[in-house]
Amino acid sequence: MEVSRKSPISLAVPVLFVSALMVLLLAIRSFSEPNAESLAATYAHGTLSVAIPYHVVRAGSGRLIVEILDPEDHILGSAEQSPQLANGNGTWRLDIPLHKPLPIDDVVWDRVSYRFEYAGETTAAFEGVKSISQILRRPVVHILAQKSCITGGPAAIRVIATDSKDDAIIDNGSVRVELLIPDRPARTLFTGRLNHRGTTEAQFRFPAGLIGDYQLRYLVETPIGSSESTEPVQLQDKLSILLTTEKPIYQPGQTIHVRALALDRADHNAAASRGLAFEVEDSRGNKVFKRVTQTDKFGIASAEFALADEVNLGTYHLRALIGDPNSATSTAEIALNVERYVLPKFKVAIEFSRNGRASKRGYRPGDHVTGTVRANYFFGKPVDNAEITVKASSMDVSVFEAASASGKTDNDGVYHFDLKLPTYFAGRPLTQGAARVLIEATAKDSAAHSETRGEPITVSESPLLVTAIPEGGNLIPNLENQIFILASYPDGTPATADLNIHVAGNHASENVAQHVATDAGGVAIIRIKAGRGGETLKIDAADKEGNRASSNIDLQPREGSDQILLRTERAVYRAGDRIQLKIFSTRQHGSAYVDIVKDSQTILTRDLDLVNGEADLTLTATPEMAGTLDLNAYLFGGDAQPIADHRLVFVQPADELRIETVADASVYKPGGEARIRFHVTNAHGEGVRAALGLQVVDEAVFALAEKQPGFAKVFFYLEQEAMKPRYEIHSIGMSDIVEPVQHAQGNQRDNAQRDRAARALFAATEMVNLNRFDTEFGRTMPQAKFAEYASRYQSAYTAQVRRLATQLSRAHEQNPQHFDLVKAFTRLSDG
């Protein structure tokens, strides 16, 4: 385009040359800045430490000047060296104190300018300008903790410090954790040093009596700078309340006897002298009873509520609340039935048999279900000559009657039945194709009073059910996995069976048969090394009675290149036992971390070095660990996100109580006096003071709804509400893990069998921990001053462009015929 001499070139240049100026500026900077991406800086205590790598082909001495510039090119600090350079690579390291210390929010948006000139020369051999935000190394802090904690209770927090490249900061770092309480000075909960893995095990105890929402401030000081963050934490007064009544059903006019036992969730000690309120809500939502009381020194409170003769029938809700009634910190609730009922006059029982022996292992379609119906009055007399009807019912799209039989009891109140099952049932995939059938027996005595009892059985095409459970829930790729193989009969009875297992997967070495046998608990263990894809187990099972079954079980792998596997030696421990943990990882070296969580609270944390992909940790089970422990092992992958595996174990209480009862007679007359002696001892046989709860209830009431023994121990120690099943298991239940002490002290073989079953059960279960808190801070630059500095740089840039445009316009006017934009711009830049 030809431009007239009279045209206003000084106005046109800013518009036409802005893009060209930027391209030229960036080009000159890129040629003059060696290894710009390798520059690094740290900032601490008002001093910027800079490392500038270089490469030279000419040796010699010279002068290096490094400056810190703000957006207007004001010098905020400078340093100078006179280095002697040799051929090859090297790094200049300088500490540049700022004339006036600035907060990190300002420093990150300033620039570092450096220039090196050989002695006797005025042209720079190396020079460059870099934004501090692009080269600053800052500590990145990862916090793993819990959202809510128990006031006055122990807490453990994992603090990990790395740089922005996720390399551990291992030199002279410190960590401080403070609790911020409104209108009061910050309270230091923990101070510690970073270890050689760049982490610390912050363990402390929260102040007692603080309840509500607070803030935790984390302050991390390292050689590459400091980092700080404030995160919310909720302090709760957590108690476990066991709420009971003497029976599950009441009639109008009767009295409900309520009792609550409150224990501290942290140590299971009695919550003594705590305010507690009982409330009862009827079937229509009306609050019909409220009593405020307090627990005694044993953590027990009680109340009585008399039902009126005319009340709303249906389901009532009984609650116990501790704390502010409007926002109770701990609550418990149970449902009661209030209805008019008639107590059974006699008891009906069903006993199954096979080939003359007691048996209930499940049945196949077309089998005969044989057994005995017994009818006895509660005072012991048999119900003779009673009319008996036995029927089998199941469900496909609706309930249907599968078989029936009828007859009369003999003089001993006994009736033998034989039912032939249909040849087809609609099974459910969840129960491996098994169908549930209810066998109901109805007995009618000579007074035309009828009672009914039902017992379920399982009907399956397969006489044996086989389940495979990886120890980690899913297969962990590229590591050797233990696989639990469970064999059971359809009714859930464990099966002792021989197993031939063929693994068809990604590893040719695994495509061979393995031969194992399940123990008396129906459990066997095999080992396979999983590939990145799924594996299929082809299992042939046979027991000693000739039952056979074949199953193909697909096992799915976890995703991700980095993997970790945590293995426990056992699943059930007692206080004082050693808990041995083994960690395996696809990463050969680095750090692994272990957290122990109890009642959704991290109580212990450890860090370990991986050596050849393995690490070991030994802990001692303490009395404070009694209950369910969720053991978590994790490492951080390439994306700085944790990769974890977990195991559940159960620690039996250290000093359980035993109760012995001796009555002065075995039979009493109505209105008679009974004397019962109780003897309470600890595990060592020593007598202890204890609060006893005694319920005297007509057996006929319990015939309506029976209460399982040991329910209190299960309630307080087994976190069933947080457990989520991943596999359907028929032969093991969670309550089997929490068994009485005398049973747990069996022979070594029985304990090993029980522990293996517990490991399989825990492998099929995962914990739902909604309380987990995981955050990271320090990876991104502070943004508080970004807008301010962006505006300042924009203004400085615009002023510079206008100045260059004006000078270029003048150069063009002086020699328009031979004007060269690039040469003119280079001269202006050099000037």
Side-chain angles (χ1 to χ4, degrees), residues 24 28 808 820-831:
L24 290 170
I28 292 173
L808 289 172
D820 188 315
L821 177 61
V822 174
K823 291 181 179 179
F825 184 79
T826 303
R827 285 196 300 273
L828 291 175
S829 298
D830 293 339

Side-chain angles (χ1 to χ4, degrees), residues 471 476 478-482 527-530 565 567:
E471 61 180 319
I476 301 178
N478 302 319
L479 294 173
E480 186 183 70
N481 294 246
Q482 289 186 357
R527 289 173 170 82
I528 64 172
K529 185 172 183 180
L565 185 152
R567 181 172 296 159

Side-chain angles (χ1 to χ4, degrees), residues 510-801:
E510 298 291 346
N511 294 333
V512 295
Q514 299 189 44
H515 305 280
V516 293
T518 60
D519 59 19
V523 183
I525 299 177
I526 65 169
R527 289 173 170 82
I528 64 172
K529 185 172 183 180
R532 291 195 174 275
E535 307 280 353
T536 299
L537 302 185
K538 298 180 179 180
I539 305 175
D540 293 321
D543 69 1
K544 294 181 179 180
E545 298 178 8
N547 295 307
R548 296 180 178 275
S550 296
S551 299
N552 290 339
I553 302 175
D554 295 326
L555 302 178
Q556 298 302 316
R558 289 184 187 169
E559 297 181 354
S561 56
D562 292 323
Q563 295 291 344
I564 190 170
L565 185 152
L566 174 63
R567 181 172 296 159
T568 58
E569 184 185 36
R570 292 158 51 192
V572 180
Y573 297 86
R574 301 195 66 79
D577 289 349
R578 289 173 41 173
I579 302 176
Q580 294 182 321
L581 308 179
K582 188 82 173 179
I583 296 172
F584 303 90
S585 174
T586 54
R587 186 177 294 179
Q588 295 300 298
H589 303 285
S591 298
Y593 309 93
V594 176
D595 291 348
I596 298 181
V597 179
K598 177 178 177 290
D599 288 328
S600 298
Q601 303 292 300
T602 303
I603 61 173
L604 192 67
T605 180
R606 292 287 185 267
D607 53 278
L608 309 164
D609 288 323
L610 289 170
V611 179
N612 297 325
E614 296 184 10
D616 295 281
L617 177 63
T618 300
L619 304 168
T620 299
T622 63
E624 293 75 19
M625 292 181 179
T628 310
L629 297 184
D630 187 10
L631 310 180
N632 294 269
Y634 55 95
L635 52 82
F636 288 89
D639 57 357
Q641 295 302 310
I643 299 163
D645 190 27
H646 90 112
R647 291 292 176 274
L648 297 178
V649 300
F650 185 80
V651 178
Q652 292 278 6
D655 192 14
E656 294 184 89
L657 301 181
R658 299 180 183 179
I659 304 175
E660 298 177 3
T661 60
V662 179
D664 63 344
S666 58
V667 178
Y668 297 90
K669 292 182 178 181
E673 183 177 285
R675 293 182 180 273
I676 304 175
R677 179 178 177 272
F678 297 93
H679 186 206
V680 182
T681 59
N682 59 22
H684 305 290
E686 301 166 338
V688 296
R689 294 184 63 193
L692 287 170
L694 179 64
Q695 296 176 349
V696 180
V697 182
D698 189 339
E699 183 185 1
V701 175
F702 280 112
L704 297 174
E706 296 183 359
K707 185 181 296 184
Q708 293 183 346
F711 72 98
K713 184 179 177 184
V714 173
F715 176 84
F716 283 115
Y717 288 99
L718 195 61
E719 291 184 72
Q720 296 185 98
E721 71 279 0
M723 293 180 175
K724 178 182 177 182
R726 291 187 284 202
Y727 294 84
E728 184 78 12
I729 295 182
H730 306 274
S731 55
I732 313 169
M734 280 293 174
S735 58
D736 297 330
I737 304 303
V738 188
E739 63 177 11
V741 175
Q742 57 268 28
H743 294 165
Q745 296 176 341
N747 60 53
Q748 185 174 357
R749 182 177 178 180
D750 291 342
N751 285 341
Q753 172 188 314
R754 174 176 172 271
D755 196 84
R756 180 184 290 190
R759 288 182 61 203
L761 178 63
F762 283 150
T765 307
E766 64 179 337
M767 295 294 288
V768 180
N769 185 5
L770 302 178
N771 195 35
R772 186 174 179 84
F773 177 75
D774 183 351
T775 190
E776 180 187 85
F777 57 89
R779 188 174 296 277
T780 58
M781 292 297 166
Q783 300 294 315
K785 299 291 186 71
F786 174 80
E788 175 188 335
Y789 276 86
S791 176
R792 290 172 63 184
Y793 276 113
Q794 179 66 33
S795 299
Y797 167 75
T798 302
Q800 184 179 14
V801 169

Side-chain angles (χ1 to χ4, degrees), residues 304-480:
E304 295 181 357
F305 170 51
L307 292 167
D309 292 332
E310 295 295 333
V311 295
N312 294 320
L313 303 180
T315 302
Y316 279 51
H317 294 274
L318 169 64
R319 301 184 184 94
L321 306 93
I322 292 180
D324 184 350
N326 296 322
S327 58
T329 56
S330 300
T331 63
E333 180 176 329
I334 60 174
L336 306 171
N337 289 325
V338 176
E339 58 186 58
R340 303 185 188 278
Y341 62 85
V342 177
L343 290 178
K345 293 187 177 352
F346 53 86
K347 187 175 183 178
V348 177
I350 302 175
E351 299 172 358
F352 296 97
S353 62
R354 182 172 295 180
N355 298 326
R357 293 186 302 174
S359 175
K360 187 191 167 188
R361 288 183 173 179
Y363 300 85
R364 302 185 70 178
D367 277 358
H368 285 260
V369 179
T370 59
T372 301
V373 177
R374 297 182 185 275
N376 292 276
Y377 293 102
F378 286 104
F379 52 85
K381 180 183 176 181
V383 183
D384 57 352
N385 203 34
E387 296 180 7
I388 301 293
T389 301
V390 182
K391 68 176 182 178
S393 57
S394 186
M395 174 178 287
D396 40 30
V397 294
S398 61
V399 177
F400 68 95
E401 184 175 300
S404 64
S406 61
K408 290 188 176 184
T409 60
D410 57 18
N411 293 335
D412 295 325
V414 173
Y415 169 75
H416 300 282
F417 65 87
D418 185 336
L419 301 177
K420 187 177 187 306
L421 296 174
T423 57
Y424 174 79
F425 284 88
R428 296 178 298 166
L430 187 63
T431 56
Q432 296 180 281
R436 300 287 280 180
V437 174
L438 180 64
I439 306 297
E440 286 184 298
T442 301
K444 181 188 294 186
D445 66 5
S446 57
H449 183 84
S450 298
E451 297 294 344
T452 300
R453 176 74 176 185
E455 291 285 350
I457 62 171
T458 307
V459 180
S460 172
E461 283 285 354
S462 175
L464 295 171
L465 303 182
V466 180
T467 305
I469 303 170
E471 61 180 319
N474 293 99
L475 285 177
I476 301 178
N478 302 319
L479 294 173
E480 186 183 70

